[in-house]
Amino acid sequence: MKYIKLFLILLKINFLREMEYRINFIAVLIPAGFYCLGYTLMIWTILNKVPNIAGWNFSQMLMLFSVGQFSYYLTWVLYRVSLDYFPLSIKKGDFDSIVKQPVSTRFMVSFLKQRIDVSVPMIGAVLIFAYAVSVFGVNFTNLFLFFLLLISGEIILYNFMFTAASLSFWIIEIDGLISLIDDVVGYGSYPLSIFPGPVAIFLTLIVPAIIIVYVPATAFMGILDWKLGFLSGMMVFVSWFVSQKIWHAGLRRYSSASS
Amino acid sequence: MNITYRISVFLRAMQDIISVLFFVILWVGIFKQKSVIDGFNLNAIITYYILVKVIDQLYTFKPAKDINDDIISGDLGNYLSKPVNYFNYMMNFGLGRRLARNTISLFIVLLAFIIFPNYLVLPSSIFNVVVFIIFAIFSWLLYYELAFFIGTLSFWFSETANIRSGIERMMGLLGGLWIPLAMFPQWIQNGLNLLPFKYLYSNLVLAYQGKLATVDVQNGLVVEAIWVISLFILCKMMWRKGIKKYETFGK
């Protein structure tokens, strides 16, 4: 309860800070809009030339895309800015003030800063999702599985990003890694069958883009591969365990940069 | 500065390489259903994506951010009090910054040659190479001017991070970074012909591949030159208006 309250306070502070630049707040729709338009136009153009992409039609591709976009923006609303800031805080010595707080350091590192403005384009992802839903219809079992696997995917993604950020204790210029992970997770918005074997394994087990985006989307469409669903559940615990291990190893290694 | 942060440079290069590989994988899947799409076969499309990625390395939108930062922080005052032409300074700074990145471009091309020796199509003549280089210089100027123009919006809007990001994406989409413009329906292509963005990527690749007729080269160079001059005038106007509005103190 204490952490939920604290999270809401941080959310309010960051929201007020962003409202200083109101036009920029609304302008977030420009990049998000162009990305949505770009993807949709690309897929639509391709599907005007060939009947399907690895067996997937336009509505199915849109479903994958909307889940990918929702997941992407959620990371920014919740923790992504904080994790980007973390390596910098170590470099500048600001991390000392975070460690001294009488709350979980992992919590503060993860949720100190948010970007509320990206919640605006999340509406776009929801609208595309709604369109795809209108095509597929709603099956409540599938809907339940979808939310369950979406939450699992988000937890796995957070643990994964946090583990990458924790490497800052050893390698200071790690920010590019988080951005690289972002890109690779984006490939989860494409059908698994399009990837050759080793790439599919990489995207499922190493950088689990497929687990984060593809698996929940297929659950909604009623074409879930149960092995992947089970793997998603397993990875929630494994990723949490690994992230905690690396985080604590890093904390033990940390010595202040400030004088 | 870029080489000091070796891991960052390596990770950025990985990002570029992975994005090219992804598009290759996607198109290999698509070309299993059809051998030629709008004049592109698999080899041509792979060459296309490698080239647009290399071309993309030449450009930088960073001046837009630097101008924004200078205006917000008040550092712009330092430049204004010195006998420095800010437009030229930013242009040279941006050009210098690309040097490290271009080393990576070279690396991407070499790697692409190793991975796809049968896929890459080389320019068929020296003439195509020369035309490509001339177009590339014009396109670089065009891109820089667009970045400078967006940067000057900071005089009015303060923080422009989202506008910058949006315009950058728009230039990529409408320029052919995502998909060759020739694949769009004709009505979209007609609309894009009225805009300068096709000169940033698509036109350059066509020049490299020798797909532009002599008359297209001549017309293209004239139209692009008009865009470069028009945007230059627009940048100067924006700068003058912005400076009149700008206030700074201290330092």
Side-chain angles (χ1 to χ4, degrees):
Chain A
M1 200 62 196
K2 173 178 136 188
Y3 284 100
I4 293 173
K5 257 188 194 171
L6 184 58
F7 177 76
L8 291 175
I9 291 168
L10 290 169
L11 205 65
K12 189 180 168 190
I13 292 168
N14 287 306
F15 176 71
L16 291 173
R17 188 180 294 146
E18 280 179 24
M19 286 312 283
E20 268 186 64
Y21 303 108
R22 285 191 182 81
I23 291 179
N24 193 53
F25 190 91
I26 299 297
V28 72
L29 283 171
I30 304 173
F34 274 110
Y35 189 73
C36 277
L37 182 71
Y39 179 93
T40 312
L41 198 60
M42 186 176 88
I43 297 301
W44 177 76
T45 304
I46 292 171
L47 287 172
N48 272 333
K49 317 282 175 193
V50 290
N52 58 62
I53 297 174
W56 287 59
N57 63 29
F58 187 62
S59 307
Q60 289 173 316
M61 292 298 292
L62 279 190
M63 170 62 82
L64 276 177
F65 177 67
S66 63
V67 175
Q69 283 291 281
F70 184 83
S71 168
Y72 172 78
Y73 289 124
L74 197 63
T75 64
W76 281 97
V77 171
L78 294 178
Y79 57 83
R80 180 60 206 277
V81 189
S82 307
L83 295 187
D84 276 351
Y85 173 68
F86 176 53
L88 195 69
S89 71
I90 291 183
K91 213 187 289 183
K92 286 165 64 181
D94 292 354
F95 183 59
D96 294 4
S97 61
I98 299 172
V99 174
K100 283 183 207 154
Q101 304 288 336
V103 285
S104 155
T105 310
R106 176 168 179 162
F107 176 86
M108 288 306 282
V109 164
S110 303
F111 303 111
L112 187 64
K113 292 167 185 273
Q114 291 99 13
R115 267 192 67 182
I116 326 296
D117 59 341
V118 290
S119 55
V120 182
M122 269 174 91
I123 298 166
V126 172
L127 287 177
I128 296 175
F129 181 76
Y131 166 76
V133 168
S134 73
V135 175
F136 294 108
V138 181
N139 172 309
F140 286 100
T141 313
N142 291 345
L143 190 67
F144 172 74
L145 277 172
F146 165 73
F147 278 116
L148 196 69
L149 290 165
L150 185 69
I151 293 166
S152 300
E154 290 311 312
I155 295 170
I156 293 164
L157 181 59
Y158 160 70
N159 287 333
F160 202 77
M161 292 271 198
F162 186 79
T163 306
S166 300
L167 296 176
S168 308
F169 287 117
W170 291 271
I171 311 159
I172 210 72
E173 354 150 20
I174 209 68
D175 38 344
L177 181 64
I178 298 177
S179 173
L180 179 64
I181 292 170
D182 239 0
D183 271 17
V184 176
V185 170
Y187 302 137
S189 297
Y190 291 85
L192 178 60
S193 48
I194 208 158
F195 300 108
V199 180
I201 291 170
F202 178 83
L203 289 176
T204 307
L205 296 173
I206 313 296
V207 182
I210 295 298
I211 302 290
I212 295 159
V213 182
Y214 176 86
V215 170
T218 53
F220 188 88
M221 292 182 276
I223 49 170
L224 172 70
D225 179 341
W226 286 96
K227 287 191 287 275
L228 290 176
F230 179 71
L231 189 64
S232 174
M234 289 281 290
M235 282 179 97
V236 169
F237 299 103
V238 175
S239 62
W240 172 259
F241 178 77
V242 172
S243 69
Q244 280 291 84
K245 280 278 171 202
I246 293 181
W247 169 246
H248 286 296
L251 272 182
R252 278 194 297 275
R253 190 181 186 278
Y254 177 71
S255 57
S256 172
S258 60
S259 52
Chain B
M1 188 184 81
N2 278 312
I3 300 299
T4 312
Y5 298 101
R6 287 183 194 89
I7 294 176
S8 295
V9 170
F10 171 76
L11 290 171
R12 274 204 299 262
M14 285 299 292
Q15 227 168 333
D16 292 332
I17 291 165
I18 288 173
S19 80
V20 172
L21 283 175
F22 168 73
F23 275 113
V24 170
I25 289 169
L26 179 69
W27 283 97
V28 166
I30 292 163
F31 274 100
K32 276 179 188 163
Q33 302 176 58
K34 220 173 177 183
S35 56
V36 178
I37 299 173
D38 290 323
F40 284 89
N41 59 18
L42 186 58
N43 294 5
I45 205 89
I46 290 175
T47 307
Y48 182 90
Y49 278 105
I50 292 170
L51 278 177
V52 290
K53 185 47 82 179
V54 172
I55 291 163
D56 196 40
Q57 306 297 310
L58 303 173
Y59 300 138
T60 174
F61 216 62
K62 192 84 185 345
K65 185 185 183 307
D66 291 342
I67 297 166
N68 182 78
D69 291 348
D70 284 345
I71 290 171
I72 289 179
S73 67
D75 286 349
L76 187 64
N78 290 337
Y79 296 99
L80 297 178
S81 60
K82 288 172 189 161
V84 174
N85 181 318
Y86 191 71
F87 181 89
N88 291 345
Y89 170 77
M90 276 294 165
M91 187 168 75
N92 290 318
F93 193 56
L95 198 60
R97 191 183 269 143
R98 287 291 89 184
L99 284 175
R101 197 72 180 191
N102 289 345
T103 318
I104 298 163
S105 302
L106 195 66
F107 175 68
I108 294 173
V109 175
L110 289 175
L111 199 73
F113 267 110
I114 295 164
I115 299 174
F116 310 110
N118 302 323
Y119 287 135
L120 261 176
V121 181
L122 292 169
S124 56
S125 71
I126 295 291
F127 175 75
N128 292 342
V129 177
V130 173
V131 169
F132 173 80
I133 291 170
I134 296 170
F135 266 120
I137 293 167
F138 274 56
S139 303
W140 196 90
L141 286 170
L142 195 65
Y143 199 97
Y144 168 70
E145 286 171 352
L146 286 164
F148 191 89
F149 171 75
I150 299 300
T152 57
L153 292 179
S154 308
F155 284 118
W156 292 273
F157 300 136
S158 298
E159 182 54 63
T160 56
N162 288 328
I163 298 175
R164 286 198 308 268
S165 166
I167 300 296
E168 215 178 342
R169 278 185 178 172
M170 181 189 75
M171 295 196 304
L173 172 64
L174 304 183
L177 188 61
W178 291 55
I179 187 167
L181 299 183
M183 288 193 180
F184 283 139
Q186 196 55 49
W187 61 274
I188 295 183
Q189 288 186 49
N190 291 343
L192 292 176
N193 283 336
L194 303 172
L195 301 169
F197 308 115
K198 71 169 188 175
Y199 295 104
L200 299 176
Y201 300 101
S202 186
N203 199 62
L204 278 172
V205 177
L206 293 177
Y208 175 91
Q209 292 176 327
K211 287 184 178 173
L212 292 176
T214 314
V215 66
D216 293 332
V217 172
Q218 288 166 351
N219 290 345
L221 284 173
V222 171
V223 174
E224 197 173 2
I226 292 170
W227 274 113
V228 169
I229 293 165
S230 309
L231 272 165
F232 177 74
I233 294 167
L234 188 66
C235 286
K236 287 282 173 191
M237 276 169 54
M238 289 289 283
W239 177 254
R240 264 191 229 116
K241 278 189 185 294
I243 287 295
K244 275 184 194 162
K245 191 180 178 292
Y246 181 68
E247 284 175 26
T248 185
F249 55 87
K251 295 204 172 180

